[in-house]
Amino acid sequence: MELPATYRPNFDSDLLQGLSEQQKLTFLSDCITRTHLRPKDILQQGLATDTFFIVEQGQVEVSYIDPNGNSLVVFIAGPGEVLGEVEALSGRPCAATCTAMPGSRVLCCSSAALLKHVPAQLLIVNLAGLLHDRLVRDNRQRSVDNFMTADQRIDHYLHQLTTEAEPKINVSQAYLATLAGCTRQTVNLRLNLLRQQGIVEFSRGEILVLDRDGLQASGSLV
């Protein structure tokens, strides 16, 4: 459904930095909000798109499939993250698949609306900022993958997947093991230790981070 003019997004996207409140609302009025109760591919690797997405609530999984069919979770996008804007503006096919997770809400935006409502000079600056942040994130992720232990990687992803406002995630231990590149047994052992330390609590398909500072300290996070 279309967003009303009085709509107030529950996020702050870097793509819209420098716009006045009224300019943001005018742009958002040309977007469509979509809520996903089940996993849903909103962008598919190899396919073209003329729209892009801004995450308002929940998370979107970004994954890549290599030529041999191996699937890799590249990133978990949260509120304010922008997905597909480079492909929508360039006309090139999607570099990865983006899957909206259950309980997520995203804004579906067109490249035409972006060019219409965001001044060209400001758009260039904001896009460059987004690309810079992704370079920094990718470099950090390579460091995590190459130099951290399995336990540290588990802690890293628990920290990345949660926030102070949303400390609970609905993921299985098997899924967390896939992200961290380890076995489910390793994840279970780590979660039990973190629970003994009062840092997390968990049940089937659900993990609650009780102490983010303790989690960060325990894992020496990048």
Side-chain angles (χ1 to χ4, degrees):
M1 63 179 179
E2 293 189 0
L3 299 169
T6 56
Y7 180 75
R8 293 294 191 277
N10 186 32
F11 65 86
D12 185 18
S13 176
D14 288 343
L15 183 63
L16 305 180
Q17 290 299 307
L19 295 181
S20 68
E21 183 70 10
Q22 186 55 51
Q23 286 175 314
K24 291 180 182 179
L25 293 175
T26 302
F27 166 70
L28 293 171
S29 69
D30 278 348
C31 300
I32 298 173
T33 184
R34 293 177 180 170
T35 299
H36 297 282
L37 301 180
R38 298 179 180 84
K40 172 69 175 179
D41 289 348
I42 56 176
L43 294 170
Q44 290 186 303
Q45 181 178 328
L47 298 184
T49 180
D50 59 358
T51 60
F52 65 94
F53 298 86
I54 303 177
V55 184
E56 181 183 355
Q57 175 182 294
Q59 297 170 330
V60 175
E61 177 188 273
V62 182
S63 60
Y64 171 75
I65 300 177
D66 71 14
N68 296 319
N70 301 307
S71 180
L72 172 68
V73 177
V74 178
F75 180 60
I76 305 293
E81 296 282 354
V82 187
L83 303 164
E85 82 289 355
V86 172
E87 291 88 342
L89 288 168
S90 69
R92 298 190 178 187
C94 293
T97 293
C98 298
T99 305
M101 306 304 287
S104 62
R105 184 164 62 243
V106 299
L107 298 177
C108 179
C109 315
S110 69
S111 54
L114 186 65
L115 295 171
K116 174 183 176 183
H117 296 296
V118 182
Q121 185 173 358
L122 184 59
L123 179 59
I124 291 172
V125 171
N126 289 349
L127 286 173
L130 289 174
L131 293 176
H132 173 267
D133 289 346
R134 288 172 189 168
L135 286 172
V136 171
R137 183 190 73 211
D138 290 347
N139 288 338
R140 286 178 175 172
Q141 191 58 52
R142 291 191 68 178
S143 177
V144 169
D145 293 339
N146 290 331
F147 302 115
M148 282 189 171
T149 66
D151 285 351
Q152 288 175 322
R153 293 197 301 272
I154 293 167
D155 293 359
H156 169 80
Y157 280 107
L158 287 174
H159 194 272
Q160 183 187 86
L161 292 171
T162 59
T163 64
E164 289 285 354
E166 296 186 17
K168 184 173 69 174
I169 50 175
N170 296 313
V171 298
S172 66
Q173 292 184 30
Y175 181 82
L176 186 56
T178 299
L179 290 179
C182 63
T183 66
R184 182 188 174 282
Q185 289 75 17
T186 299
V187 170
N188 185 260
L189 288 172
R190 184 59 179 170
L191 289 177
N192 276 298
L193 179 59
L194 292 174
R195 178 159 61 183
Q196 292 171 16
Q197 296 172 344
I199 294 175
V200 306
E201 189 55 73
F202 65 95
S203 57
R204 185 178 180 84
E206 180 179 292
I207 304 172
L208 173 65
V209 175
L210 303 172
D211 181 2
R212 286 178 63 77
D213 290 339
L215 181 65
Q216 186 167 9
S218 70
S220 300
L221 299 171
V222 174

